[in-house]
Amino acid sequence: MARILVTGGAGFLGSHLCDRLLKEGHEVIALDNMNTGSADNVSHLVATNRFELVEHNIIDPYETECDYILNMACPASPPLYQRDPVYTFRTCVNGTMNLLDLAREKEAVFFQASTSEVYGDPIQHPQKEEHWGHVNPIGIRSCYDEGKRAGETLCFDYHRQYGVPIKVVRIFNTYGPRMNAADGRVVSNFINQAIRDMDITIYGDGSQTRSFCYVDDLVNGMVRLLFSDPGVTGPVNIGNPGEFTMLQLAEKVLELTGSKSEIVFKPLPSDDPKQRRPDISLAKDKLDWEPQVKLEEGLAKTIDHYRELMEANKDVQLFG
Ligand code: NAD
Ligand code: UDP
């Protein structure tokens, strides 16, 4: 049994990771300042005597005994990471550095949640880990993209300079139950709009693409990376290579929900990447991992989740 610190543990992905690590018999401390997360995401774990939720901002140093540190803390949706860009950058840089210092002191393995956003608006397609990216350093997405790139730099410098064992995952668009309905990401927006027969908001002409991974697949890949051989540092892409335009996604959601919603077109935010699809050869080779859940299946589970929320609480806060 390992003692594992999960920062951002009350968020969407962090809470699913806590579930999984506890199921595997580990002791888990979730560290979160509730910036975009919610204690509700882990309330079912509080009775477990191997789980603790600690309210803390990773921009400030934190000290605890631990064998592994999973750094998931960071606002992840464009509207929320752009709400306070300096905070986002500090979380990515100062926060990651504080946790790397802790890993160094405790001789813990450091796991970093990086992102496909390090590729920016990619000029190679699909994206392999070797692609250095095509990122606007001064745009509205830079606080996140450049923050995450700096986070990777810190991981590799602590690894080379101090020998900290690292694992860096580049996560591609992941969706599923517990995504914050108000955070403005495309899957949560489209489903919540569709189940209420509200207009489905497509930004731009809907021809931009994304590749959507169901949360259970992502967690399987992350756990394999976490416990992989020390030589496997990453960065490694984890995502589902099935690529869809936003128009196709809207049509699938309309079909699966049987909604009467209309599709409406809104302005495309600046620097919105035109296409994104992971090359997952490295994950297949090093982790023997590939996703299992098809988009329709994952969307159906996510639709059920949001319908239950809507039925239980008519005042669910939505985006916009
Ligand atoms: P989320 O917003 O649900 O979770 C992030 C969590 O971090 C929240 O609980 C939030 O309160 C917490 N947090 C934010 N700033 C913090 C700080 N300074 N100190 C402590 N806690 C803080 O988002 P998510 O989708 O679960 O994303 C989790 C991680 O995965 C993020 O680092 C994100 O960049 C990365 N990621 C997610 C995706 C995705 O598709 N979901 C894709 C790429 C990368
Ligand atoms: N998007 C959209 N309608 C929405 C929300 C998002 O068309 O209501 C688009 C957005 O412009 C982007 C894609 O969907 O092209 C994915 O957006 P998301 O914020 O989920 O992820 P990211 O852009 O970070 O990949």
Side-chain angles (χ1 to χ4, degrees):
M1 181 178 87
R3 188 169 151 88
I4 305 183
L5 182 67
V6 180
T7 75
F12 163 47
L13 299 180
S15 64
H16 284 278
L17 262 173
C18 291
D19 285 350
R20 172 67 180 268
L21 294 169
L22 285 164
K23 208 173 275 175
E24 293 198 358
H26 302 292
E27 189 183 341
V28 174
I29 312 118
L31 207 63
D32 204 298
N33 68 347
M34 308 304 158
N35 177 259
T36 53
S38 161
D40 291 348
N41 288 334
V42 287
S43 54
H44 60 289
L45 300 177
V46 173
T48 319
N49 59 10
R50 287 178 285 109
F51 178 78
E52 192 186 349
L53 174 62
V54 177
E55 203 159 330
H56 180 82
N57 185 339
I58 63 162
I59 293 171
D60 300 319
Y62 181 76
E63 159 101 42
T64 189
E65 295 304 321
C66 51
D67 307 302
Y68 294 85
I69 300 171
L70 282 83
N71 184 22
M72 307 299 297
C74 188
S77 85
L80 296 193
Y81 68 63
Q82 289 164 22
R83 182 172 62 180
D84 184 347
V86 174
Y87 165 85
T88 299
F89 201 73
R90 274 195 224 279
T91 296
C92 290
V93 178
N94 302 34
T96 301
M97 204 177 314
N98 284 333
L99 294 161
L100 279 161
D101 283 332
L102 181 64
R104 183 180 173 204
E105 188 191 324
K106 304 295 177 190
E107 297 182 1
V109 173
F110 187 82
F111 180 104
Q112 172 75 348
S114 191
T115 168
S116 53
E117 287 284 324
V118 300
Y119 303 118
D121 191 8
I123 47 182
Q124 287 176 16
H125 193 73
Q127 292 78 56
K128 277 184 181 288
E129 289 82 354
E130 289 77 24
H131 183 19
W132 286 359
H134 179 231
V135 175
N136 175 358
I138 56 167
I140 57 171
R141 293 176 87 100
S142 321
C143 59
Y144 183 76
D145 298 11
E146 296 288 20
K148 288 287 184 177
R149 286 165 68 93
E152 290 198 9
T153 305
L154 284 167
C155 289
F156 279 85
D157 282 341
Y158 271 70
H159 179 61
R160 284 185 290 253
Q161 193 170 338
Y162 303 127
V164 171
I166 56 163
K167 308 277 177 193
V168 177
V169 60
R170 290 183 179 156
I171 303 169
F172 283 65
N173 298 64
T174 299
Y175 68 98
R178 297 193 203 140
M179 273 181 105
N180 178 352
D183 83 7
R185 284 185 265 192
V186 69
V187 173
S188 48
N189 274 8
F190 284 5
I191 295 178
N192 279 295
Q193 290 161 344
I195 60 178
R196 293 172 176 81
D197 293 327
M198 291 160 62
D199 288 347
I200 304 260
T201 54
I202 288 190
Y203 302 161
D205 63 6
S207 63
Q208 71 272 38
T209 67
R210 294 292 187 272
S211 301
F212 297 101
C213 185
Y214 188 64
V215 61
D216 291 356
D217 279 335
L218 179 86
V219 168
N220 282 337
M222 290 206 291
V223 169
R224 283 187 187 211
L225 176 61
L226 182 66
F227 298 120
S228 60
D229 294 339
V232 183
T233 58
V236 56
N237 292 337
I238 300 276
N240 189 321
E243 183 182 1
F244 299 88
T245 66
M246 294 312 99
L247 205 49
Q248 287 172 323
L249 178 70
E251 280 158 1
K252 273 195 194 298
V253 169
L254 283 173
E255 188 188 313
L256 290 167
T257 52
S259 168
K260 296 190 197 65
S261 296
E262 303 278 335
I263 290 179
V264 298
F265 294 89
K266 302 265 183 189
L268 185 69
S270 63
D271 295 338
D272 198 282
K274 286 183 264 316
Q275 56 181 1
R276 188 180 288 153
R277 169 154 57 106
D279 179 313
I280 57 166
S281 320
L282 187 66
K284 280 185 184 162
D285 179 35
K286 298 285 181 199
L287 310 175
D288 191 23
W289 175 87
E290 61 184 313
Q292 305 296 325
V293 182
K294 293 217 161 24
L295 184 63
E296 289 75 8
E297 192 190 330
L299 284 178
K301 290 184 186 180
T302 314
I303 289 166
D304 288 348
H305 164 76
Y306 285 127
R307 276 213 169 104
E308 274 169 33
L309 264 189
M310 181 173 71
E311 277 150 26
N313 173 10
K314 301 271 177 280
D315 300 324
V316 177
Q317 209 194 329
L318 302 182
F319 176 67

